[in-house]
Amino acid sequence: MSVPNAEKRANAIKKALMFLESEFDTKEFPFSCDCFGTERDDLQSASNLPKFTLGTETFNLYLLLLLVGKHLPSTFRNKLIAAVRPNKIAMLNFFADITGDLQLFPNDQDTTVVCYHALLATHTINEVDLVSMSQSIYENVNDDGVLQAYYVSKDNSRYNRIDAVCIINILRFAYAQRHERFVQRSEDYVFDWLISGKYKSGTIYYPSAYTFLYFCSLLASTNYQTKIRFMDTLRREFDQIKQEDLKYPLDYAQTILTGAKIGLYDESLIGKLLEMQNKEDGSWPADALYCTHRVKVYYGSKSISTILSVLALMETI
């Protein structure tokens, strides 16, 4: 693949990695969300707002290691691994410093699998370490046998909370260990979400259709079986994207990344993403990857925009 503006892209990648490493070295909870709003537009002007009332999330830290880890300089990657690895194998919570009753905000599948998948991918832990916990994940299903977002009992209000992107992350974790047989109903759920077009309104926690398509492209690229099942439908859905609808950094980054996974490359999108970078500190404008459930509040940061934007540049070289 020929790469336009190679020097410009290389400089953008270098500055972005410097920004992320600086964030890691200087913040107690690096890459955590630091701005929010009732619309994604709100994040463009708001920053350094109050933290979550329940604690500070670490999900973006895990996501960086999982998605970008193989591209990072070894010294930075090793620092990330040391920060991410828990003292013991156990279910994890979205909030790093949560205190009090876990019924208020339970441990969740998404955070747990993204963290341990990252550690598997970096050969920090092995499959044997995860046998018991993995089985607990696959057994945490609703009455239809579909993977749930939280570890809760039936009397909890979060029981039967289903999110298609969360499920994709669990599927990829399962397939990395060749555990496909445990999660087939959940794969069916994700395929229905794709083929029916439900994803166009986002999922419960991931409000953008582009996010679903990107994570679905990761799933489709997992192995021969997922490629056969998902790739043709994914390409048809991807072809419906209109460039004029792209607005935010994550829109561009995730569209570029999806295209890369299905073999499509659009130079103009990369050029527009490069133009959005802050040339002084190497970051991209704050954007939201996820939101709250019933009353939509979008939480984001420059860090999450930069993580996926620099990944888009790296994976299309």
Side-chain angles (χ1 to χ4, degrees):
M1 179 185 298
S2 63
V3 181
N5 303 316
E7 183 178 355
K8 183 177 181 181
R9 181 189 300 218
N11 287 334
I13 291 171
K14 181 180 178 180
K15 284 189 174 182
L17 292 179
M18 290 175 62
F19 169 79
L20 292 173
E21 189 161 11
S22 175
E23 291 279 290
F24 179 83
D25 289 337
T26 59
K27 291 190 174 181
E28 181 181 5
F29 296 104
F31 320 128
S32 290
C33 296
D34 58 13
C35 54
F36 59 87
T38 56
E39 301 288 344
R40 286 170 74 186
D41 277 336
D42 297 339
L43 278 66
Q44 304 300 307
S45 57
S47 61
N48 299 317
L49 296 178
K51 293 181 180 181
F52 292 98
T53 56
L54 296 176
T56 306
E57 51 85 15
T58 55
F59 183 78
N60 293 341
L61 177 65
Y62 305 150
L63 201 65
L64 173 63
L65 183 59
L66 176 60
L67 297 180
V68 194
K70 65 182 179 182
H71 298 293
L72 297 175
S74 59
T75 53
F76 187 14
R77 183 171 61 250
N78 290 339
K79 288 192 293 185
L80 281 177
I81 291 170
V84 165
R85 186 171 187 173
N87 294 327
K88 63 178 181 178
I89 303 296
M91 306 306 177
L92 300 175
N93 199 284
F94 185 79
F95 297 107
D97 52 351
I98 190 170
T99 58
D101 187 358
L102 285 180
Q103 289 295 309
L104 184 62
F105 198 93
N107 293 332
D108 69 278
Q109 302 255 63
D110 205 15
T111 305
T112 299
V113 299
V114 168
C115 178
Y116 289 113
H117 192 180
L119 294 174
L120 273 177
T122 55
H123 307 291
T124 307
I125 57 177
N126 57 51
E127 295 173 26
V128 174
D129 298 326
L130 298 175
V131 170
S132 178
M133 191 198 69
S134 295
Q135 197 58 42
S136 297
I137 289 170
Y138 307 144
E139 291 173 355
N140 187 34
V141 295
N142 68 0
D143 294 339
D144 296 322
V146 177
L147 290 158
Q148 301 186 91
Y150 295 100
Y151 300 99
V152 293
S153 59
K154 284 191 175 184
D155 59 351
N156 189 288
S157 62
R158 286 186 172 87
Y159 182 80
N160 198 31
R161 193 75 60 82
I162 307 292
D163 184 284
V165 173
C166 297
I167 291 175
I168 289 172
N169 287 331
I170 302 169
L171 294 176
R172 295 184 63 234
F173 172 75
Y175 298 164
Q177 302 174 84
R178 300 171 301 283
H179 290 163
E180 293 92 333
R181 64 191 181 279
F182 298 123
V183 292
Q184 284 307 300
R185 289 189 182 181
S186 296
E187 183 184 301
D188 294 342
Y189 181 93
V190 171
F191 185 70
D192 175 70
W193 205 264
L194 172 66
I195 202 167
S196 67
K198 294 175 185 176
Y199 75 88
K200 293 179 181 179
S201 298
T203 63
I204 290 176
Y205 295 115
Y206 294 87
S208 170
Y210 309 117
T211 300
F212 176 88
L213 290 176
Y214 168 51
F215 281 87
C216 194
S217 76
L218 292 174
L219 176 62
S221 305
T222 299
N223 58 39
Y224 181 69
Q225 287 75 21
T226 57
K227 182 177 181 180
I228 289 175
R229 184 172 198 188
F230 285 90
M231 196 61 80
D232 287 345
T233 304
L234 186 58
R235 284 196 180 100
R236 287 197 297 271
E237 295 301 308
F238 184 81
D239 286 342
Q240 296 180 30
I241 294 175
K242 298 178 181 178
Q243 287 196 24
E244 57 267 29
D245 291 337
L246 304 179
K247 181 177 181 181
Y248 304 101
L250 291 180
D251 297 346
Y252 283 96
Q254 291 176 123
T255 299
I256 291 167
L257 285 163
T258 305
K261 287 297 181 183
I262 64 179
L264 298 173
Y265 174 75
D266 191 323
E267 175 183 332
S268 66
L269 293 183
I270 294 172
K272 289 176 181 177
L273 184 64
L274 285 168
E275 290 173 4
M276 299 176 82
Q277 186 182 30
N278 183 317
K279 302 305 184 290
E280 294 184 4
D281 69 3
S283 70
W284 271 264
D287 195 4
L289 184 66
Y290 37 78
C291 65
T292 52
H293 173 34
R294 289 189 174 88
V295 179
K296 293 297 182 187
V297 178
Y298 298 85
Y299 289 91
S301 65
K302 294 194 297 184
S303 296
I304 189 60
S305 298
T306 305
I307 287 169
L308 287 166
S309 295
V310 74
L311 181 63
L313 298 181
M314 289 171 161
E315 299 219 332
T316 50
I317 291 177

